[in-house]
Structure formats: structure tokens, C-alpha cells
Amino acid sequence: MSAIRKKLILVGNGMAGVRAIEHLLKLAPEAYDITIFGSEPHPNYNRIMLSSVLAGGASLDEIVINDLEWYRSFNIQLYTGHTVTSIDPVERKVHTDKGITASYDELILATGSNPFMLPIPGAEKEGVIAFRDIKDTQIMQEVSQKYGKALVIGGGLLGLEAARGLLHLGMEVSVVHIHEYIMERQLDESASVMLRKELEAQGMKFLLKKQSEAVLGKKRVKGLLFADGSIEDADLIVMAVGIKPNVELARSSGIEVNRGIIVNDYMESSLPGIYAVGECAEHRGIAYGLVAPLYEQGAVLAKRLAGVPTEGYAGSVTSTKLKVSGVDVFSAGQFTEQPGTKALRFQDETDGVYKKLVIHGDKLIGAVLFGDTGDGAQLFSMIKKGENIKGREKELLLGISADALAPKGNRLEGMADDEIICGCNGVSKGAIAEAITSGGCTSVGQIKACTKASASCGGCKPLVEGLLQLYAGEAAVTVKEGICGCTTLGRDEIVAEIKRMKLMTVKEVMNVLEWGNEEGCAKCRPSLNYYLGMLYPEEYIDENESRFTNERYHANIQKDGTYSVVPRIYGGVTSPAELIKIAQVAVKFEVPLVKFTGGQRLDLLGVKKEDLPKMWEELDMPSGHAYGKTLRTVKTCVGSTYCRFGTQDALGMGIRLEQAFERLNTPGKVKLAVSGCPRNCAEATIKDFGVVAIDGGWELHIGGNGGVHVRATELLCVVKTDDEVMEWASAFLQYYRENAGWNERTAQWVERVGLDSIKQALESREARLALQERIQKTLSLTTDPWKQIVNTPELRKNFEPISLPETV
Ligand SMILES: Cc1cc2nc3c(=O)[nH]c(=O)nc-3n(C[C@H](O)[C@H](O)[C@H](O)COP(=O)(O)OP(=O)(O)OC[C@H]3O[C@@H](n4cnc5c(N)ncnc54)[C@H](O)[C@@H]3O)c2cc1C
Ligand SMILES: NC(=O)c1ccc[n+]([C@@H]2O[C@H](COP(=O)([O-])OP(=O)(O)OC[C@H]3O[C@@H](n4cnc5c(N)ncnc54)[C@H](O)[C@@H]3O)[C@@H](O)[C@H]2O)c1
Ligand code: SF4
Ligand code: FES
């Protein structure tokens, strides 16, 4: 008989708590029934990478650490969008804001931190935000589309990464800092000044020694008033002035708290069966704000819960690295001089390099590097180990890095096995070497999947690459990066293998092509689902669970967890009767906001998940597919029917295109537009496929994009008739479907493969007709997802609210 599982609850679905669960599942997979509550409406994601999302280096989809399938595969009961509001430590129960009560044997609090918001008048105004989560990131992205000027208060790590992201989004950005030099918590003055100059060269402005006094504006922020009486205009203010551990839940439940929840070396709080990890925990007087120590805490806690002996957590020395492209800054340990310490400095103003080592006795206790941070990991390792560096001080200052990454006889080779390469994830050189030599890893992606090295901030990637060269030699050189960390195969190889071996399911592809991770990840599962659907439109059954939430629910999830409903309105043309119907549905379901979209549709926002099928039923209109990687909208101008400049019927052409291609699955979302004359009022030249009327015909444009990376289209060809427009559009879209990578928009794809190669592929009529035939086959097999759900009781059930007994 199997042992009865104990009930484990994790409060906080963030980086530290879920990492502890990952460890626990490895140590004692059968020991607990696990329930996780998280306030955010998302699965566990890499908060660190929000800076990259803002700076355009990653998409939100890419930063998911564990997708919903992961929770399902370990039978973890996940409640996203649920905040635990109280704990009853006597009855061992927790209660959530949504009325759920759950009992536990063991309870982990991993509630993270709250951003510190300056308590100045006007701080509550619209346009004043923090930078902590996906919601904040999305607000910044949205604001940057409408407004021009941002102020970031706080010149620390977070503030500078936010400022860099906002610059990337096209805003004018000034950083307001209270001290005379930025990042004073991580850098000395020399490094700080060099950093500021570099950031100024990138376009960032600085307002130093400025004390913010009040936020100006009526409802929305207009500016910032400083204590010296000066005023700075602003459309957006981001506060990045530090964080405070989120301890309210613990405090109100009678758990001992100071700045954080007080824990011992085993992460135990003052109450039995209740533990704390992450930024909310205070260990030996310190509440950490970086992932490396939090992951160390998680590993200790997992051992404790699994009954595996552990020496406990003894505290951490930390290092930081600013994640701003083009700038290399590193800082670790005690970097300012104190009585009894001595400092060695090296400065090369020509090459913009600065290094400082702080030594106490014979030991290195701190370091600051600017411009050349290649030695950071090794210096950090020496600091952590308290290594005796007597006689090697100058060598360390001047250049471990010169030969650190050389392929042969290098410093990496001489490094001890227990030296930490990936600070974020605590992965040693030995663990990486083992993954390469015994685990067969031959790419950074595989090492990441196997050891987690380079999975967080990515700062250690050069060292991981160096080790790969060292241990895998030739094999590493020939290895390419796969579509994700689960495989070394690229998109084209995967598609070719699927065709060659006639692989028919996602699971089969992963098995046969020897995926490193048998469950796949949030990147490869949807990719494979797309490729299989594209290759076998008739046989392949779409895997709903491999799609993202929006596509699964056929509606866009909003930041408050509600959804939006956008019915299809062909060419943006509607009728009074249709408008009355939409209005009636909006009134009946108490839709809080009705708005026109940029693509000439009506967006009903703020809809509860359980109302979606009922609304679709009453609307009785096709899905506008505003949520998927598919044809979105065909924007039109009024064209020759009404406009005196119009030479062609843009409305008719737009409606024809939309009716032809609606419901088409594509690698990335696809937007079309048709303008009735070269004045181009429908903005067809920033669309994936744009049609512009000219005297006696149509120009066909491809590969345009609005949004963050604006790209104008390139002219594909000029045609005479409407039927030719349809033929070329069909051929182009099918060629894109068959050749682009999943999640690759036409703009990126056209840029990558070049206009000429596409022209060549579509040049012959025969080729176009063959592509047209294939797209029509696919289209003939599609159905409207809303209708399908409305008419299938089994599918409707997915939208019902989860009803739970009072105690689970
Ligand atoms: C933009 C940005 C960039 C960063 N870059 C780096 C970096 O490069 N390197 C680095 O080391 N660190 C970085 N950090 C810091 C790092 O992200 C945090 O240290 C880490 O995420 C903390 O993990 P945590 O699990 O303690 O808290 P979190 O990841 O914040 O998770 C806590 C979760 O608990 C939820 N929660 C809180 N209360 C409740 C409740 N009562 N009920 C249910 N759920 C609750 C919260 O909503 C949150 O989702 C960065 C942070 C940000 C914001
Ligand atoms: N690359 C990374 O490692 C990274 C990146 C982002 C965030 N983080 C972490 O996220 C957390 C939050 O980052 P943070 O930068 O907000 O915290 P922080 O405490 O490190 O820095 C806050 C900065 O704001 C300044 N400041 C304080 N009050 C001010 C005021 N009134 N006006 C202007 N400036 C003021 C401080 O002098 C300080 O330099 C930290 O734990 C940080 O380590 C790390
Ligand atoms: S694009 Fe030409 S036809 Fe269309 S509305 Fe503008 S001016 Fe009129
Ligand atoms: S050091 Fe951050 S991912 Fe390795």
C-alpha cells in the first residue's frame, strides 16, 4: 500500500517558491499533494527576463518557466489569480480572496516583495507605475505607443533596466536619482560615472541629486516636481526605488516578522509547519533581492520537506550584473573600502575598462568591473570561497579574462570543479562538465535544459560556451542552437524529419527526435503543434493543450483575468442591425468597456470566462480571432464606392480577402489591409500583406509591421484583376505558412529570407496555383471555434467556474 501523501501548499507562484517545488519533486515526487496559489493570472515565469521583454529581446511567451502542462504533469493543483488572504495556523488552513479554503500539513510562503512606491502627493495618479510584473511591462509597452516622455525614479539596477527598455520602445527617458552617482549600491564612483556616460551615449538622460516632491497632473501624470522647485514633464513615471518584502499575510497570521518573515537555517518560520523562501524571507537579518540566494534557500527547503539531510542555509554573498545591452558591469561582495581593507584599481579610459578589487588580509572580499566583465564569475567564486590570493593580486586585477575563453589550456580548464559558473542557478563547473561528458549535452540550450545554467539572466552564457568548447570540442562547434533548449534541431530539420518519417503527434516527434526534455516546453510544444497542423491539415488533430491560454479560450485574457470578445466584422463593415445585436449583448452581460480596435472591430472588454460561450451564442457571429496566430483583420478604406479619390473597390476586395482567409492558422499573426488609392488611408504598407489600388490594378506589398519594430512593406508585384490579388495572396500566405518558423512574423521572415527568394518562389503561375490549392484544402477543413464550443457541451464545460467543496 502506498504511503498517504501529505498536503503541501505554496503561497506565491513566483521564482523562489516554484524552484523549491521543482527541487522537491526531484527528491520526493510522491511525498506530497501540492497546491499552489498565485495572485498573478499567469503560470510561473522568469521575472528577471521582464527587462529583456521590455528591451525587445524576448517575448512574454518566451519567459514562461513552467507552463500549465508542467503543473498538470505533476498533478499540482494551481490557482492563478488567487490571493491567499489569511492563514489559520491552528486548523492548518488557508483562505483566498475568491472564497477557497484549503488545508495543509506543510505551508510555504513565497510571497516575494512589493515595489516601494514613494509616498509623495500624486503618486496614485494614472501613469505612475512600478516595474515588477507582466502587467507593469504591458502598461509600459502600451503607454509608449501613445506617449513620448518617461521619467524613471531610481538609478539602481531595476531603474536602469526599465529606462533602457523604455528607450527601446521609442520614449524619451530621464532617470531621476537621489544620489550624485547611479547604482551606488553596486558600484563605486569611477565605475558609476563610466556607466552613466555609456548610457548617455545610448540616449538616456540623468537628473542627479534630485529629491522627488510631488507628481503633477489632474487624473493622469503630467510631470514631477522636485524639492529644489524645478519641474520635469512626464507622461509616464516608473518608480524603481527599491522593494519591501511582502509580509502582511504572515504578520496578520501571527508569524514572527521583522523586515521579512524571520526564518532559521532550514527556512522554518516561527510557527510549526510554516516555511518561507524568497524575497519575503529574512535569514540572519538579511532579506535578499536576487535569485541566486533565493534558489539556494529553495534547495535547502526542498531537502527539509523531503526528509533529506541538509546542513541548512548559511546565507549568501551576492553578485550583480546589469542587463543592458552594450554595457558590461559587474559587482560582487564588499566593493567599498573599509578600515583594514586595501583596493587595487585598473582604469583604461581609451577602451572604457575599469576594474577594482577589494582585499582584506589575503582574501578578495569584493570586486567592481566595468567594460570587461569576463572575469566576474571567477572573481565571485574566489570571494565566496574566501580563497587566499596572496601574490596573485595583480594577475587577478589585470587579466584572468585574456585567456579565459581560449579553446586550449585555458583558465576554465584550471578552475576547480566546485567553482560556480552560473551564479543565478548555483551551477558549478563540475555539474556542467558532467552534463557535457556524461549527459551528452552538445549545445548551450541542452546544458540549460539539463542543469539550468544560463536559464535566468543569461550572464554566464559565455562561460558555459567556453566549457562546451573545452569538453565537447569539435562536437560543440558543429552543433547549432535548436528551436528551444529541449532539442538541437532547427525548424527546417524538424519539419524535414516529420515529413520524412511521417511523424503524426507532438509526443511522437519528441520521442523519435530524442527531445532532451520529454514534456517539451512552452516554446517547442506550440511550434510542433503548428508544424504538424500545417503539414497534415486533414489527419492532424490540433493539441489544444499545446496552445497558449488565449488560443485555448478563443479570447484574449486581460490583465485583471477577464477576457475580451471581438466578433469578426468583415472589412470593418457592419450594419445597424448588427450593432444593435452587439449592444444588446454588451448590456445583457454587463460588459464594462466597448471599444473600437485599431483594425476596425468592436472589442467587448472585461468579460468573465464563464460568460464567453453564452455571449458567443447570443452574438451568433464568427470569431474575430483577435487572440491567435492566424488572420486577424483586413483593414479597409471606403475606396471607390464612396471616396472621390478611390480608383478601386477597397471595401469589396477587403471583405473578399477576409472571407477567404479567416480561421487560417499561420506561424505568426497576420494582418491585411486594402487601400482604394495610393493615398493609402488603410495603412496597407505596414501590414503583413498590403493591397494598394493604382490606376488599372493593384500593388501587392508584403512583410510590413506596425507595433514595436515598425517595418514598411516591400513591393511583391503589381496585378490587374481582383482574382489575381486572390491568387497572389493565397500563394504568399501558404508559402509563408510552409517556410517560416513558428512565431516568426512575416516582417522578420521576409527580412531573413529576402524579398527576392519569395519573388522567385512565387514567380511561376504553376507554383502559385499549387500553393493556392494547398491553402484552400486547409481552409476548407476549418470551422468557427466559437460555434464549435457553443454547440459542444463537453467543450463548454471548460469555461465553467471551478466549483470546489468549501475545504479542499
Ligand atoms: C524587472 C526585474 C528584473 C530583475 N532582474 C534580476 C536579475 O537580473 N538577477 C536577479 O538575480 N534578480 C533579478 N530580479 C529580482 C528577481 O526577479 C526576484 O528576486 C525574484 O523574482 C524573487 O522571487 P520570489 O519568488 O521571492 O518573488 P516573486 O517572483 O515576486 O514571486 C512572488 C509571487 O507571489 C505572489 N503572491 C504574493 N502574495 C501572495 C498571496 N498572498 N497569495 C498568492 N500569491 C501571492 C506574487 O503575486 C508573485 O507572483 C529582477 C526583478 C525584476 C522585477
Ligand atoms: N540585474 C539585476 O540583477 C537586477 C535587475 C533589476 C532588479 N533587480 C533586483 O530588483 C530589486 C529592485 O531593484 P531596485 O533597483 O528598485 O532596488 P535597489 O534598492 O537596488 O535600488 C534603488 C535605487 O533607487 C535609489 N533611490 C531611492 N530613493 C530614491 C528617490 N527618492 N529618488 C531617486 N532615487 C532613489 C537608490 O539610491 C537606489 O540606487 C532589487 O532587489 C534588485 O537587486 C536586479
Ligand atoms: S486610400 Fe484613397 S480611396 Fe481610400 S479613403 Fe484614402 S483617399 Fe479615398
Ligand atoms: S548567471 Fe544568471 S543565468 Fe547564469
Side-chain angles (χ1 to χ4, degrees), residues 637-639 643 645-646 675-677 679-681:
C637 73
V638 288
C643 177
F645 297 112
S675 288
C677 84
R679 285 174 179 76
N680 190 16
C681 295

Side-chain angles (χ1 to χ4, degrees), residues 170 248 261 486 502 535:
E248 277 327 302
I261 302 168
C486 308
K502 212 150 191 330
L535 290 168

Side-chain angles (χ1 to χ4, degrees), residues 387-547:
E387 204 171 304
N388 187 327
I389 57 158
K390 195 168 168 50
R392 295 157 56 207
E393 297 90 338
K394 288 196 183 126
E395 179 203 341
L396 293 181
L397 180 71
L398 293 176
I400 308 172
S401 64
D403 59 351
L405 300 177
K408 291 215 172 70
N410 60 38
R411 289 289 301 217
L412 281 172
E413 207 171 357
M415 248 186 200
D417 271 358
D418 63 349
E419 283 197 22
I420 296 294
I421 297 292
C422 175
C424 288
N425 296 287
V427 188
S428 66
K429 177 194 163 191
I432 296 172
E434 169 90 11
I436 301 168
T437 51
S438 312
C441 294
T442 46
S443 72
V444 173
Q446 285 180 338
I447 295 174
K448 193 200 296 189
C450 184
T451 65
K452 293 244 179 236
S454 82
S456 301
C457 74
C460 57
K461 207 169 161 203
L463 288 177
V464 177
E465 278 164 355
L467 287 173
L468 190 60
Q469 290 206 355
L470 184 65
Y471 292 107
E474 293 287 293
V477 180
T478 54
V479 161
K480 299 169 300 330
E481 286 283 291
I483 54 164
C484 66
C486 308
T487 176
T488 51
L489 299 174
R491 181 258 175 221
D492 292 349
E493 290 157 309
I494 293 170
V495 171
E497 288 299 295
I498 294 177
K499 280 203 243 179
R500 191 176 68 82
M501 296 195 261
K502 212 150 191 330
L503 306 175
M504 295 304 293
T505 66
V506 170
K507 203 90 213 140
E508 198 180 5
V509 176
M510 290 178 176
N511 284 342
V512 175
L513 302 184
E514 295 179 353
W515 241 236
N517 169 7
E518 62 179 53
E519 292 303 326
C521 69
K523 212 164 171 182
C524 59
R525 290 190 71 94
S527 314
L528 296 181
N529 188 46
Y530 170 74
Y531 298 137
L532 288 161
M534 178 269 289
L535 290 168
Y536 309 121
E538 280 174 282
E539 298 100 317
Y540 182 66
I541 301 164
D542 192 77
E543 255 193 19
N544 207 26
E545 64 275 19
S546 288
R547 290 184 173 263

Side-chain angles (χ1 to χ4, degrees), residues 136-149:
D136 298 327
T137 313
Q138 285 171 329
I139 293 177
M140 284 190 251
Q141 287 171 331
E142 280 158 25
V143 168
S144 71
Q145 308 263 344
K146 278 207 258 165
Y147 298 97
K149 183 136 200 262

Side-chain angles (χ1 to χ4, degrees), residues 550-562:
N550 288 348
E551 295 193 0
R552 276 212 297 273
Y553 290 111
H554 296 280
N556 270 326
I557 191 162
Q558 305 298 312
K559 63 184 183 187
D560 61 355
T562 62

